[in-house]
Amino acid sequence: MGGKYRITGNKYPRMRGPRRRGRLVVVVVASVAVLGVGGWGTLQLIDVFTGGGGKASAAGNGTDCAPRTKASASPAAKALPEPRTITVNVFNATTRGGLAKKTADELKKRGFKIGDVGNATKQYDKKVKGTGVLLGPAAALDTSLPVLGTQLPDAERRTEAARKGAVVDLVIGDGFKELAKRPDADRALTKLARPEPAPTPKKGC
């Protein structure tokens, strides 16, 4: 120092070392903070373009899978005979008198043709525990018997393979009280003639 300044003791004065280390620490902390914010932003963008899109797609699929209101095309239903073309024999298999005639008269009012009216044969007399039995040839199973069944919904339906012709029987059983109410029977006839097609769901649901 040209002898002008004298250094005494075993300690030397610090110049600017601590300030430089302090600035370095500040720079490092600031860099870490910037990197952290940048990484968080990147993750948010990735979530938007991947995870968020998946949720939206799932929600969209739920809406797309709602059943369509448009009914599916169904094969033409077999034409059913009208009551006026069906001849019905009415037989009483119970111990209560007058049921066959009373029931036959009501069926006639509803448009059916009436054939024989009387007591049931030995095969069924006092042996029908339900409301009744509807009998007919094999061809009547999907034609006349369903139409007659609208008048007595709980009746059992049977066919006889050896039976000829188109006439059907109504055998009144012990559980019989009366025919279905006419409005209910008319609604059943309408529904039978014009069944409601089921809605068709979209593919992939």
Side-chain angles (χ1 to χ4, degrees), residues 91-100 103 118-121 124-133 170-177:
F91 300 119
N92 184 6
T94 75
T95 57
R96 292 174 286 166
L99 281 182
T103 303
N119 294 326
T121 61
Y124 294 101
D125 189 29
K126 300 179 183 64
K127 297 177 182 178
V128 179
K129 302 302 179 183
T131 58
V133 176
L170 191 163
V171 182
I172 300 172
D174 292 335
F176 178 85
K177 293 182 180 179

Side-chain angles (χ1 to χ4, degrees), residues 103-117:
T103 303
D105 290 343
E106 182 60 29
L107 285 174
K108 186 175 181 179
K109 293 178 183 178
R110 299 184 183 189
F112 290 88
K113 288 184 178 180
I114 303 301
D116 297 333
V117 178

Side-chain angles (χ1 to χ4, degrees), residues 22-35:
R23 289 180 181 178
L24 180 62
V25 171
V26 172
V27 171
V28 171
V29 172
S31 299
V32 172
V34 170
L35 291 176

Side-chain angles (χ1 to χ4, degrees), residues 54-177:
K55 293 179 181 178
S57 175
N61 290 338
T63 302
D64 292 341
C65 287
R68 295 178 180 176
T69 55
K70 183 178 180 181
S72 61
S74 57
K78 187 174 182 180
L80 294 172
E82 297 180 8
R84 61 184 178 83
T85 65
I86 302 174
T87 300
V88 184
N89 297 325
V90 184
F91 300 119
N92 184 6
T94 75
T95 57
R96 292 174 286 166
L99 281 182
K101 185 178 185 308
K102 182 179 179 181
T103 303
D105 290 343
E106 182 60 29
L107 285 174
K108 186 175 181 179
K109 293 178 183 178
R110 299 184 183 189
F112 290 88
K113 288 184 178 180
I114 303 301
D116 297 333
V117 178
N119 294 326
T121 61
K122 185 177 180 180
Q123 181 181 358
Y124 294 101
D125 189 29
K126 300 179 183 64
K127 297 177 182 178
V128 179
K129 302 302 179 183
T131 58
V133 176
L134 307 182
L135 296 171
L141 183 61
D142 297 322
T143 55
S144 301
L145 292 185
V147 175
L148 181 58
T150 60
Q151 311 303 310
L152 193 60
D154 296 332
E156 180 184 355
R157 302 176 190 178
R158 298 181 188 176
T159 59
E160 298 172 332
R163 185 164 178 164
K164 304 298 182 182
V167 179
V168 294
D169 299 344
L170 191 163
V171 182
I172 300 172
D174 292 335
F176 178 85
K177 293 182 180 179

